[in-house]
Amino acid sequence: EIVLTQSPGTLSLSPGERATLSCRTSESLGSSYLVWYQQKPGQAPRVLIYGASRRATGTPDRFSGSGSGTDFTLTISRLEPEDFAVYYCQKSGSSPPFTFGQGTKLEIK
Amino acid sequence: EVELVNSGGDLAQPGGSLRLSCAASGFTVSTSYISWVRQAPGKGLEWVASIYIGGSTYSADSVKGRFTISRDNSKNTVNLQMTNLRVEDTAVYYCARRGGDHGFYYLDSWGQGTPVAVSS
């Protein structure tokens, strides 16, 4: 079973700054199988990035994904107030388990 | 418009059972891949189970043998039958639809979640 490890656990930044979130996998993962979600308090998650780097419909272009193999990154170029939330990476595809990382909380500094 | 509505969450005793439902509208569950994902209080997301178009089902080791995912095509609903509940099953349970194609898959629509509390 592939384990996804996200870092940092908490990231404290100010609006306008750049955020870099990491997701490392215990085994090499095809890029098409890495997804990023955003979750705000009291809400269900929503997809931001799939296939490691493809923006989902409605995702602002300040969000970008990159990486391959075992190292993946979600970057938010200039933080807006609505971007402060928890972010999860997930292994997708057709072969379970569809494991999630433990999440990175992005909080206002 | 695609919508998923979760229901069935409740307070249950350890060893008890609950049945969660995920009612879909705007698409047909029989031609979709549907998963259940849970989130314990203050914790992260955990994949629980999935049902595929052909009817194959898969579940996490933590619930295998206790939880069963099934589909009711006549009601356009996916259910999660939970038996032998444990305190650690306490969580908000979400159903979600898999979207995407050509090998690029993701959970594109989510229910609002239904809370399950297991306590004596």
Side-chain angles (χ1 to χ4, degrees):
Chain A
E1 173 179 334
I2 294 179
V3 176
L4 283 70
T5 302
Q6 294 185 238
S7 61
T10 302
L11 185 57
S12 300
L13 294 169
S14 301
E17 291 192 292
R18 181 185 185 90
T20 302
L21 287 67
S22 172
C23 177
R24 287 204 165 101
T25 61
S26 60
E27 304 170 26
S28 183
L29 186 65
S31 297
S32 62
Y33 302 136
L34 197 285
V35 182
W36 289 95
Y37 299 89
Q38 177 193 65
Q39 187 180 33
K40 296 181 179 179
Q43 296 182 18
R46 75 170 182 113
V47 60
L48 291 176
I49 301 286
Y50 66 94
S53 61
R54 301 179 179 215
R55 275 187 291 271
T57 302
T59 300
D61 59 9
R62 62 181 180 275
F63 289 89
S64 63
S66 63
S68 64
T70 60
D71 284 313
F72 298 88
T73 301
L74 175 69
T75 301
I76 311 171
S77 58
R78 285 181 58 85
L79 286 166
E80 297 287 342
E82 62 267 29
D83 298 337
F84 292 91
V86 181
Y87 294 83
Y88 296 94
C89 58
Q90 186 205 19
K91 167 192 172 293
S92 68
S94 296
S95 299
F98 304 114
T99 316
F100 288 89
Q102 82 278 22
T104 289
K105 181 180 181 180
L106 179 55
E107 65 177 24
I108 300 177
K109 187 174 182 179
Chain B
E1 180 189 1
V2 170
E3 187 177 18
L4 295 167
V5 177
N6 297 140
S7 63
D10 204 345
L11 173 64
Q13 291 193 335
S17 299
L18 281 175
R19 183 179 179 89
L20 306 184
S21 289
C22 172
S25 58
F27 72 100
T28 304
V29 298
S30 62
T31 58
S32 301
Y33 296 80
I34 303 293
S35 293
W36 285 93
V37 174
R38 69 184 179 183
Q39 186 167 36
K43 303 297 184 182
L45 303 172
E46 179 186 14
W47 172 74
V48 174
S50 297
I51 185 164
Y52 285 19
I53 289 176
S56 298
T57 62
Y58 302 89
S59 58
D61 287 346
S62 58
V63 305
K64 201 162 289 184
R66 301 187 300 121
F67 291 10
T68 302
I69 188 171
S70 64
R71 194 167 60 203
D72 185 337
N73 294 338
S74 67
K75 296 181 179 178
N76 209 31
T77 298
V78 173
N79 300 309
L80 186 68
Q81 179 68 45
M82 309 164 66
T83 63
N84 194 16
L85 283 163
R86 302 169 180 170
V87 171
E88 55 265 33
D89 295 321
T90 295
V92 174
Y93 285 73
Y94 299 96
C95 67
R97 184 187 74 165
R98 191 185 86 172
D101 56 20
H102 302 298
F104 293 92
Y105 302 123
Y106 48 91
L107 299 174
D108 68 347
S109 297
W110 294 67
Q112 84 284 11
T114 187
V116 171
V118 183
S119 174
S120 55

